[in-house]
Amino acid sequence: MKNTFQKLKNIAIGLAIIPVLALSLNAKDKNSIDTIKEQGKVRIGVFSDKAPFGYLDSNGKHQGFDIVFAKRLTKELLGDENKVEFINLEAANRVEYLVTNKVDIVLANFT
């Protein structure tokens, strides 16, 4: 009987721990969209030298297809296309910047 009670106790403790673990994982791995909204801006990785996708014009302003797409995406997420921060990338560091959270989204001709 004592053995059965101990097994039930262990099961109950295990079941009580599961929701706590789930909550802590959810808090740590917050939805990226929620994080972007909390930041109030979205950091988007783009090329600065790959016309027509992403490049800097003669005034140093980002231009190109990826830029237009980024602004539209930002408007949909945050209601204002100007709440975007463009981060210049190279092909070799696109994934690294995303994985290390230096950018929220990579466009940079990334299909």
Side-chain angles (χ1 to χ4, degrees):
M1 184 74 171
K2 186 175 181 181
N3 220 4
T4 303
F5 178 75
Q6 186 63 37
K7 286 180 184 178
L8 289 173
K9 180 180 168 187
N10 289 342
I11 290 171
I13 291 170
L15 290 174
I17 290 173
I18 290 171
V20 172
L21 288 174
L23 288 173
S24 68
L25 287 174
N26 284 338
K28 185 173 67 173
D29 297 334
K30 189 183 289 186
N31 182 313
S32 296
I33 294 173
D34 291 338
T35 301
I36 290 167
K37 287 180 178 181
E38 285 176 12
Q39 291 173 172
K41 68 177 179 179
V42 59
R43 299 166 302 157
I44 300 181
V46 297
F47 286 138
S48 61
D49 61 348
K50 306 277 190 279
F53 299 102
Y55 63 96
L56 295 175
D57 66 15
S58 60
N59 296 319
K61 187 175 176 187
H62 286 93
Q63 301 292 337
F65 175 78
D66 289 346
I67 306 309
V68 171
F69 187 73
K71 287 181 177 182
R72 176 61 193 250
L73 186 60
T74 302
K75 186 172 183 176
E76 292 295 322
L77 286 172
L78 300 174
D80 182 353
E81 71 178 24
N82 297 311
K83 292 184 177 184
V84 62
E85 178 183 350
F86 294 114
I87 308 293
N88 295 330
L89 303 175
E90 299 296 324
N93 66 8
R94 290 180 292 192
V95 174
E96 174 193 339
Y97 270 51
L98 192 58
V99 171
T100 60
N101 199 32
K102 292 179 182 175
V103 297
D104 300 308
I105 299 169
V106 172
L107 292 181
N109 197 23
F110 208 21
T111 56

